[in-house]
């Protein structure tokens, strides 16, 4: 009897060890700014990842796997892209949601692809990330600048402005979306009277505002992030320059209100649709709210979707091998909080629509008319 009991105990122990080995933790690196001037966008993405992981783990994970977020800071700095990517490689993490910013992504994507790490960015929109590349492991859950630029240009053209100026911050993301907007304005028969870069991080843009005033500009499109657009708005109003300003989703952040003050009222932004307002996402929006998070920002739900993409890829491939997951994603569609997603060979979405919103001084936004 003792022999049989010890044998049974040993068998149970082996069984438990096997189960434990199967029920491993899959790490997902959240790569984006934890430090620097645009940490808010990193916060948005991490909120999306965490909310998705919490829900998936609470439901028992996938095939015995649970998930864990590992934060990796790139400060949204292009030069830190390779450093952050190598950090992920050294930690032997096979999946990434991010990077957040296009400039940093340009430096990290080649490393992720070469090392066979599945990267799904919910926010990096520059076409140069994927154009001319032969990546297998790089995906997006957001549209590109050459999808955002046409949306902005079409809206501007509908307003029939007298003179349009297009400014940008000389960086991959900002200059890219500004160039797309300018080029698409031309298709509507509108030639920008000024296409000029400003230096990000400066505190005084009065000289460019003076130039805009002298040329009689009544509509300004700015490609870049909220710190600079906030200053442009405030200083423009201080100088009595009351043109309509518009920016991309990188400017749509509640912190712009603190910078621009009342001058932010009426700013226009191209933005991913408000997926949090869709009835089918009511439960997900409540999960965010219950955790003190906001599902209605630019990147929370595209990051949630990016996490879903990785998890569904693991489920579909029946493997945590990134190569098998990438292969499965290229061949299949994935249902997410932002809709059914599929990808071009490049890893770009087959379709994505940007909306235009009016920003308000209380930090809210409404569909632009």
């Amino acid at each position: 009897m003792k022999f049989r009991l010890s044998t049974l105990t040993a068998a149970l122990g082996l069984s438990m060890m096997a189960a434990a080995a199967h029920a491993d933790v899959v790490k997902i690196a959240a790569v984006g700014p934890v430090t620097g001037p645009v940490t808010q966008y990193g916060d948005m993405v991490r909120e999306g990842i965490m909310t998705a992981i919490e829900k998936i783990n609470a439901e028992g994970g996938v095939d015995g796997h649970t998930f864990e977020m590992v934060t990796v800071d790139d400060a949204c700095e292009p030069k830190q892209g390779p450093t952050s990517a190598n950090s992920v490689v050294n930690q032997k993490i096979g999946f990434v949601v991010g990077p957040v910013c296009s400039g940093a992504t340009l430096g990290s994507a080649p490393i992720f692809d070469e090392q066979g790490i599945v990267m799904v960015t919910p926010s990096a929109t520059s076409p140069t990330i994927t154009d001319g590349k032969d990546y297998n492991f790089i995906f997006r859950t957001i549209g590109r600048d050459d999808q955002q630029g046409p949306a902005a240009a079409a809206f501007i053209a509908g307003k029939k402005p007298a003179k349009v100026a297009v400014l940008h911050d000389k960086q991959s993301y900002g200059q890219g979306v500004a160039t797309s907007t300018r080029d698409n304005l031309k298709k509507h028969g509108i030639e920008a009277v000024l296409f000029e870069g400003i230096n990000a991080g400066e505190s005084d843009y009065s000289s460019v505002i003076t130039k805009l005033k002298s040329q009689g500009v009544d509509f300004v499109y700015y490609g870049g992030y909220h710190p600079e657009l906030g200053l442009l708005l405030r200083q423009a109003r201080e100088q009595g320059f009351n043109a309509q300003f518009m920016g991309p989703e990188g400017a749509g952040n509640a912190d712009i209100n603190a910078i621009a003050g009342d001058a932010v009222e009426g700013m226009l932004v191209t933005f991913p649709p408000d997926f949090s307002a869709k009835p089918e996402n009511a439960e997900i929006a409540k999960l965010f709210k219950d955790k003190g998070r906001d599902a209605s920002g630019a990147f929370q739900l595209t990051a949630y979707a990016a996490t879903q993409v990785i998890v569904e890829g693991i489920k579909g491939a029946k493997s945590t091998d990134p190569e098998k997951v990438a292969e499965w994603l290229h061949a299949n569609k994935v249902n997410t909080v932002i809709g059914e997603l599929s990808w071009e060979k490049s890893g770009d979405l087959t379709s994505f629509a940007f909306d235009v919103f009016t920003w308000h001084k209380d930090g809210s936004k409404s569909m632009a008319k």
Side-chain angles (χ1 to χ4, degrees):
M1 184 69 177
K2 185 184 289 185
F3 172 77
R4 289 181 62 191
L5 183 61
S6 62
T7 303
L8 178 61
T9 302
L12 284 169
L14 288 171
S15 177
M16 291 172 68
M17 287 173 62
H22 182 61
D24 61 331
V25 176
V26 178
K27 294 182 178 181
I28 298 176
V31 181
V34 179
T35 57
V38 291
T39 57
Q40 298 85 350
Y41 301 115
D43 291 339
M44 292 179 185
V45 168
R46 287 186 289 276
E47 284 186 1
I49 299 168
M50 279 303 303
T51 308
I53 284 176
E54 287 163 359
K55 185 174 190 296
I56 292 160
N57 286 347
E59 292 173 349
V62 171
D63 295 336
H65 303 294
T66 57
F67 297 85
E68 176 187 339
M69 184 181 81
V70 178
T71 300
V72 178
D73 183 18
D74 64 13
C76 196
E77 283 284 346
K79 63 185 178 183
Q80 291 196 37
T83 304
S84 62
N86 285 323
S87 174
V88 174
V89 173
N90 293 336
Q91 293 181 69
K92 296 180 169 52
I93 298 173
F95 303 96
V96 170
V97 173
V100 173
C101 301
S102 291
T105 306
L106 283 166
S108 58
I111 296 171
F112 290 136
D113 194 73
E114 181 184 344
Q115 295 297 320
I117 295 169
V118 171
M119 183 206 100
V120 188
T121 177
S123 52
T125 55
S126 174
T128 56
I129 293 167
T130 49
D131 278 353
K133 313 298 195 302
D134 190 24
Y135 292 150
N136 292 316
F137 294 86
I138 308 303
F139 300 86
R140 303 191 213 228
T141 53
I142 195 166
R144 299 171 18 140
D145 291 338
D146 49 10
Q147 292 169 307
Q148 187 168 189
F155 187 90
I156 295 169
K159 293 297 179 183
K160 297 181 168 52
K163 292 185 178 181
V164 178
V166 179
L167 306 178
H168 59 82
D169 63 1
K170 302 180 184 177
Q171 299 182 42
S172 298
Y173 163 66
Q175 187 165 354
V177 71
T179 300
S180 177
T181 301
R182 178 201 62 185
D183 293 349
N184 279 278
L185 282 170
K186 290 179 182 178
K187 296 176 182 178
H188 291 277
I190 298 173
E191 193 77 33
V193 298
L194 183 70
F195 182 77
E196 187 168 306
I198 63 171
N199 296 317
E202 289 190 354
S203 59
D204 184 3
Y205 297 115
S206 57
S207 60
V208 72
I209 292 167
T210 298
K211 188 181 293 187
L212 294 168
K213 287 177 67 176
S214 68
Q215 296 200 29
V217 169
D218 62 340
F219 200 113
V220 180
Y221 182 88
Y222 174 72
Y225 294 104
H226 72 277
E228 289 72 35
L229 182 52
L231 280 175
L232 283 167
L233 281 164
R234 192 183 78 208
Q235 292 171 5
R237 299 302 183 256
E238 289 171 351
Q239 294 187 39
F241 179 55
N242 295 313
Q244 174 69 63
F245 277 77
M246 184 180 199
E249 91 291 349
N253 184 301
D255 282 19
I256 196 171
N257 295 55
I259 300 168
D262 288 350
V264 79
E265 180 64 41
M267 175 187 75
L268 298 168
V269 287
T270 45
F271 227 65
D274 186 0
F275 299 109
S276 69
K278 293 182 178 296
E280 60 268 31
N281 288 335
E283 179 190 352
I284 304 301
K286 186 177 185 302
L287 289 177
F288 275 83
K289 187 176 181 180
D290 289 348
K291 292 286 186 176
R293 302 165 186 162
D294 179 11
S296 68
F299 306 129
Q300 281 93 331
L301 288 190
T302 56
Y304 190 107
T307 311
Q308 287 181 300
V309 165
I310 290 170
V311 172
E312 289 301 311
I314 289 170
K315 186 188 298 184
K318 294 180 172 53
S319 172
T320 57
D321 179 346
E323 184 172 0
K324 292 179 180 177
V325 172
E327 182 180 352
W328 187 90
L329 290 174
H330 278 295
N332 292 274
K333 297 178 180 179
V334 178
N335 287 316
T336 74
V337 291
I338 66 171
E340 185 179 72
L341 305 182
S342 59
W343 294 269
E344 306 285 358
K345 186 177 183 298
S346 61
D348 296 317
L349 289 171
T350 52
S351 65
F352 192 91
F354 286 93
D355 290 334
V356 179
F357 290 87
T358 300
W359 200 264
H360 303 295
K361 60 185 178 182
D362 64 357
S364 65
K365 65 184 188 296
S366 58
M367 285 291 290
K369 299 176 181 178

